[in-house]
């Protein structure tokens, strides 16, 4: 399913870095369950769910976050210099919503000004595949 997600991202929008995060609210962690660059962002990595303006915008209010330059990236992006060093100076974070609840985010990074209104609209076509990936991840955890 992850290969399908990567294929759809590249066909619909294009991105140098693609990650899919699952929000493990019980553990208070955002867990990376997919990355197309495991050398930069491995899937065994997680970070605390932090309540900040980005969290409010994407997770609580269920809005897509777009920054098309490093200057537009919110101060919550502590790793924006790391992104820049790898040619990723724009970001799109799309909430993944299942049954009315935000369960994760699809994160796409690319060059400056990559996320045009047309590309932002096309990311909506990625939602179903991203949802299936998260649902599969959740089902694996409940079986363990």
């Amino acid at each position: 399913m992850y290969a399908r997600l990567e294929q759809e991202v590249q066909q619909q929008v294009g991105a140098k870095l693609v990650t899919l995060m699952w929000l493990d609210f019980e553990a208070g962690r955002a867990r990376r369950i997919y990355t197309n660059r495991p050398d930069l962002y491995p899937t065994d990595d997680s970070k605390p769910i932090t309540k900040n303006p980005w969290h409010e915008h994407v997770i609580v209010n269920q809005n897509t976050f777009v920054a098309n330059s490093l200057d537009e990236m919110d101060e919550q992006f502590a790793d924006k210099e790391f992104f820049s060093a790898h040619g990723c100076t724009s970001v799109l974070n799309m909430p993944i919503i299942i049954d009315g609840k935000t369960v994760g985010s699809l994160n796409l990074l690319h060059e400056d000004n990559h996320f045009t209104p047309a590309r932002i609209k096309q990311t909506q076509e990625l939602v179903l595949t991203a949802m299936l990936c998260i649902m599969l991840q959740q089902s694996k955890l409940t079986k363990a």
Side-chain angles (χ1 to χ4, degrees):
M1 209 67 219
Y2 297 125
R4 175 64 184 241
L5 178 62
E6 176 70 23
Q7 178 184 24
E8 289 180 11
V9 165
Q10 298 308 336
Q11 287 175 348
Q12 297 294 328
V13 183
K16 287 185 175 187
L17 177 62
V18 179
T19 65
L20 182 62
M21 300 295 286
W22 167 57
L23 299 172
D24 183 353
F25 288 106
E26 194 171 303
R29 309 287 297 175
R31 302 189 185 281
R32 189 174 303 111
I33 61 172
Y34 173 75
T35 177
N36 69 338
R37 291 293 309 272
D39 56 320
L40 299 178
Y41 276 88
T43 55
D44 61 355
D45 198 12
S46 71
K47 58 186 175 183
I49 296 173
T50 305
K51 296 186 177 172
N52 56 34
W54 180 93
H55 179 272
E56 188 75 19
H57 184 80
V58 177
I59 306 307
V60 176
N61 295 330
Q62 301 178 331
N63 295 309
T64 297
F65 175 87
V66 177
N68 270 310
S69 70
L70 285 180
D71 290 340
E72 292 178 14
M73 285 189 195
D74 197 298
E75 60 272 0
Q76 280 80 28
F77 285 90
D79 46 2
K80 70 181 183 179
E81 296 306 321
F82 180 80
F83 295 154
S84 177
H86 293 90
C88 297
T89 51
S90 62
V91 62
L92 182 145
N93 305 120
M94 182 177 62
I96 305 304
I97 304 156
I98 298 175
D99 206 18
K101 180 180 175 186
T102 306
V103 296
S105 67
L106 178 63
N107 311 299
L108 310 178
L109 289 99
H110 207 58
E111 300 164 345
D112 263 2
N113 301 308
H114 181 70
F115 298 107
T116 62
R119 285 185 176 128
I120 294 167
K121 185 177 179 184
Q122 285 189 265
T123 61
Q124 296 306 308
E125 296 179 25
L126 306 171
V127 170
L128 184 57
T129 305
M131 286 172 59
L132 289 172
C133 289
I134 289 176
M135 291 169 71
L136 287 170
Q137 177 70 23
Q138 288 175 318
S139 72
K140 287 180 193 176
L141 294 175
T142 56
K143 290 179 184 177

